[in-house]
Amino acid sequence: MAAVTTGEPTTELKTELLQLAKDTALKAGKLLTNRPGTLEITSKSSSVDFVTQMDRASEELIFSEILYARPNDGFVGEEGGDRVSVSGITWVVDPIDGTTNYLMDLPGWNISIAAKDSTGGLIGVVYSPTIDRMFTAARGMGAYLNGRPISCNKNVELKNALLGTGFSYELDKRREQVTLLSSLIARVRDIRRCGAAAVDLCYVAMGALDGYYEYGLNEWDYAAGGLIAREAGAIVSGRHGGPECKEMTIAAGPGLHDVLVGEIN
Ligand code: LIP
């Protein structure tokens, strides 16, 4: 039985995990880009939360690639892939983040692969083939877009901010979300709803969005993108400043993040 990793993992280990995640994301991207003639659609948590055979096929591919290379690691996947970690490292995977975009053949859907240890996010990869963007980060090693370093925007005033957000699969919750949106919309530069949370977080990382907030995300939606945003200098938190969670994810550069937390509360 492999020993549980203690202390900060070496740069070599982080680089190895990152390479595995990138290679696997590229393979999943190839699988998903080759769209089948018919998508078999079923609903999950609500009548508008869909899953297709491609979500499942992508997760199966990622699960087998990663656990073949690292059989003692744990796994948590949106489509139910589950394995308890023996090594102390657990992979957190969204095989298609932005399923509705994928379904409707809109851009921005992505494969989100993160690995975490007892300290938190260790590496993150968000690969979006339709916009040809591979975002990567490893803890303490910075954030990259297609191999080039990226950093978030800093000290943006609310009135100049371009924000991203998303709407819940819980239809009643959307009424509350619109109340917050209508309070913000006349006081910011504009708002985007791009349709894929992991890429939204990476947009904050690269400075394409000044900030992003969303209620109801699951760990597989924010695990990789959250690390990438942090490594790019952004602050990523929950509603009251603690870690991001299902109740709220708020990401923005220093200066704007505190203002957004205040607005959302
Ligand atoms: C979705 C996101 C979308 C968000 C939804 C959901 P899925 O992920 O990326 O932007 O608004 O709440 O989390 O279900 O397509 O993997």
Side-chain angles (χ1 to χ4, degrees), residues 1 10 13 15 19 21 26 38 40 47 49 57 69 73 77 86 91 100 124 157 159 166 202 204 234 242 244:
M1 192 176 276
T10 60
L13 177 58
T15 307
Q19 193 59 51
L26 284 169
T38 309
E40 295 151 19
S47 60
D49 179 10
D73 289 357
V86 175
W91 296 82
T100 304
E157 286 183 61
K159 67 178 167 54
C202 293
V204 173
E244 67 271 35

Side-chain angles (χ1 to χ4, degrees), residues 15 72 80 91 138 196 220 225 232 255 261:
T15 307
N72 293 312
W91 296 82
W220 45 76
V261 169

Side-chain angles (χ1 to χ4, degrees), residues 6-7 33 86 92 117 124 156 174 193 224 238 241 244 259 261:
T6 52
T33 303
V86 175
V92 183
D117 62 7
V156 177
R174 290 184 181 177
R193 198 296 189 235
E244 67 271 35
V259 177
V261 169

Side-chain angles (χ1 to χ4, degrees), residues 32 35 39 48-52 55 96-110 128-131 165-167 169 192-200 203:
L32 294 169
R35 294 168 71 87
L39 285 170
V48 293
D49 179 10
F50 299 114
V51 62
T52 72
D55 295 73
I96 306 181
D97 171 54
T99 297
T100 304
N101 281 18
Y102 184 76
L103 204 55
M104 306 305 284
D105 211 359
L106 287 167
W109 56 267
N110 62 89
S128 183
T130 54
I131 53 174
T165 191
F167 300 112
Y169 289 133
R192 295 286 180 271
R193 198 296 189 235
C194 302
V199 160
D200 285 337
Y203 282 160

Side-chain angles (χ1 to χ4, degrees), residues 96-197:
I96 306 181
D97 171 54
T99 297
T100 304
N101 281 18
Y102 184 76
L103 204 55
M104 306 305 284
D105 211 359
L106 287 167
W109 56 267
N110 62 89
I111 299 110
S112 172
I113 303 179
K116 64 177 182 179
D117 62 7
S118 56
T119 307
L122 191 50
I123 65 104
V125 165
V126 173
Y127 174 48
S128 183
T130 54
I131 53 174
D132 192 24
R133 285 174 177 177
M134 169 81 84
F135 297 93
T136 59
R139 189 165 70 216
M141 292 170 66
Y144 294 82
L145 163 56
N146 295 346
R148 294 211 176 101
I150 49 173
S151 57
C152 71
N153 298 333
K154 298 182 178 74
N155 300 317
V156 177
E157 286 183 61
L158 187 67
K159 67 178 167 54
N160 296 325
L162 182 64
L163 301 180
T165 191
F167 300 112
S168 177
Y169 289 133
E170 299 166 47
L171 297 178
D172 283 342
K173 192 75 193 174
R174 290 184 181 177
R175 295 184 214 283
E176 282 173 42
Q177 291 179 308
V178 167
T179 307
L180 173 58
L181 192 70
S182 68
S183 133
L184 281 172
I185 189 72
R187 294 183 296 127
V188 296
R189 186 195 303 183
D190 209 339
I191 297 212
R192 295 286 180 271
R193 198 296 189 235
C194 302

